[in-house]
């Protein structure tokens, strides 16, 4: 770092005249918090290996999913830095508290990953319903990662509820009234049929694989309103 007399440029200087976002600022070590506070108060920095101070004009956006006030009381975050950063406080509710955003985010990330990996897939209506009812403890990051996982790992074109991770299926079963045996059998049968049609790309071939007549399969699809399956 001391190879150049003028020193090595750092991230704050790179952001000079602009904006820098410090993600997960609650994880910043106390020693580094001291340095950040000094830079914000004095509005200048020293390059690593440099001798002269340099003026700093930068806007800081700090992000965390922790309660910084609690961290201040436990001594894990500096109180003076907390209040220095607390100019405009924006509280973003957890995803579970803004259900209206869930489906648009599902569509956005799912379509993005389909384009990225050049894969054509769809989420069934039942799958979307399960995902929209899920509580998303990991918020948007969890939702985004799940969309990528389903696009690249589920082998069928149409993604059904049984393709979802076990913890999401369990959470869904725990939050809905217990299904009767007939409802559970129908739910399972629907998934098997959709999987067979998706695999064979033909209702007639799917019926042959499942060991039922073509007319029986067509009647079931009409009953469930899955003609376009």
């Amino acid at each position: 770092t001391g190879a150049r007399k003028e020193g090595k440029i750092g991230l704050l200087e790179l952001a000079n005249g602009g904006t820098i976002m410090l993600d997960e600022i609650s994880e910043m070590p106390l020693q580094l918090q001291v340095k950040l506070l000094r830079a914000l108060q004095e509005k200048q920095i020293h390059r690593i290996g440099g001798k002269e101070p340099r003026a700093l004009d930068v806007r800081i956006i700090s992000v965390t999913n922790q309660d910084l006030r609690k961290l201040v009381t436990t001594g894990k975050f500096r109180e003076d830095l907390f209040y220095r950063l607390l100019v405009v406080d924006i509280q973003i509710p957890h995803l579970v508290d803004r259900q209206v955003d869930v489906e648009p985010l599902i569509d956005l990330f799912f379509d993005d990953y389909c384009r990225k990996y050049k894969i054509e897939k769809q989420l069934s209506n039942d799958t979307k319903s399960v995902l929209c009812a899920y509580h998303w403890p990991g918020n948007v990051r969890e939702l985004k990662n799940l969309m990528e996982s389903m696009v690249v790992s589920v082998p069928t074109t149409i993604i059904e509820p049984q393709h979802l991770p076990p913890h999401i299926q369990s959470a869904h079963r725990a939050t809905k009234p217990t299904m009767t045996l007939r409802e559970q059998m129908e739910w399972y049968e629907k998934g098997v049929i959709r999987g067979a049609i998706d695999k064979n790309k033909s209702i007639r071939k799917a019926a042959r694989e499942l060991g039922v007549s073509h007319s029986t399969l067509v009647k079931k699809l009409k009953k469930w309103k899955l003609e376009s399956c």
Side-chain angles (χ1 to χ4, degrees):
T1 57
R4 292 179 294 179
K5 292 182 179 180
E6 68 275 14
K8 181 180 179 181
I9 191 170
L11 293 177
L12 286 176
E13 190 176 352
L14 279 172
N16 199 22
T19 302
I20 184 170
M21 187 184 82
L22 303 176
D23 197 9
E24 301 296 351
I25 196 169
S26 57
E27 307 303 317
M28 181 179 286
L30 288 170
Q31 187 177 4
L32 191 55
Q33 291 180 31
V34 174
K35 295 182 179 181
L36 177 60
L37 177 64
R38 185 181 301 122
L40 294 178
Q41 289 180 336
E42 298 176 1
K43 295 188 177 179
Q44 62 180 22
I45 49 103
H46 284 81
R47 282 185 177 181
I48 297 176
K51 297 180 180 179
E52 299 297 326
R54 294 175 178 268
L56 182 68
D57 177 20
V58 64
R59 175 171 50 196
I60 302 286
I61 298 176
S62 53
V63 182
T64 180
N65 62 357
Q66 301 292 321
D67 186 340
L68 286 185
R69 287 185 171 83
K70 282 186 177 180
L71 296 182
V72 167
T73 60
T74 58
K76 295 181 180 179
F77 199 86
R78 290 184 62 94
E79 184 177 24
D80 45 8
L81 177 59
F82 171 71
Y83 286 111
R84 184 66 185 82
L85 293 170
L86 194 66
V87 177
V88 178
D89 184 19
I90 301 175
Q91 299 285 339
I92 300 179
H94 293 292
L95 198 53
V96 69
D97 297 322
R98 45 193 175 101
Q99 286 289 330
V100 67
D101 291 339
V102 174
E103 187 168 356
L105 287 172
I106 288 172
D107 293 336
L108 172 67
F109 293 133
F110 189 83
D111 292 344
D112 280 350
Y113 284 121
C114 284
R115 283 193 294 270
K116 177 181 177 180
Y117 294 108
K118 296 180 174 58
I119 296 175
E120 290 188 10
K121 287 190 177 179
Q122 299 176 36
L123 295 170
S124 72
N125 291 333
D126 289 343
T127 303
K128 272 195 177 184
S129 296
V130 174
L131 292 173
C132 287
Y134 181 57
H135 59 292
W136 299 107
N139 289 301
V140 176
R141 190 170 297 166
E142 180 186 6
L143 189 153
K144 183 177 181 181
N145 290 342
L146 178 61
M147 293 304 105
E148 182 175 17
S149 174
M150 290 196 298
V151 167
V152 300
S153 65
V154 175
T156 61
T157 302
I158 299 177
I159 298 175
E160 297 290 352
Q162 60 265 31
H163 296 133
L164 296 173
H167 68 280
I168 294 182
Q169 296 188 44
S170 298
H172 179 64
R173 288 193 293 268
T175 56
K176 65 178 296 185
T178 303
M179 289 190 294
T180 65
L181 177 60
R182 181 175 180 179
E183 289 171 336
Q184 293 183 57
M185 292 176 64
E186 186 174 281
W187 182 82
Y188 180 78
E189 184 182 22
K190 189 187 301 184
V192 171
I193 289 175
R194 289 181 110 162
I197 293 174
D198 181 59
K199 174 184 174 183
N200 292 280
K201 309 299 181 185
S202 162
I203 295 178
R204 193 172 297 278
K205 289 181 180 179
R208 191 179 304 121
E209 178 182 296
L210 295 171
V212 298
S213 67
H214 176 262
S215 60
T216 296
L217 195 52
V218 169
K219 288 178 182 177
K220 287 181 178 294
L221 294 176
K222 287 183 177 180
K223 174 185 174 183
W224 297 326
K225 299 181 180 179
L226 300 177
E227 291 91 340
S228 60
C229 179

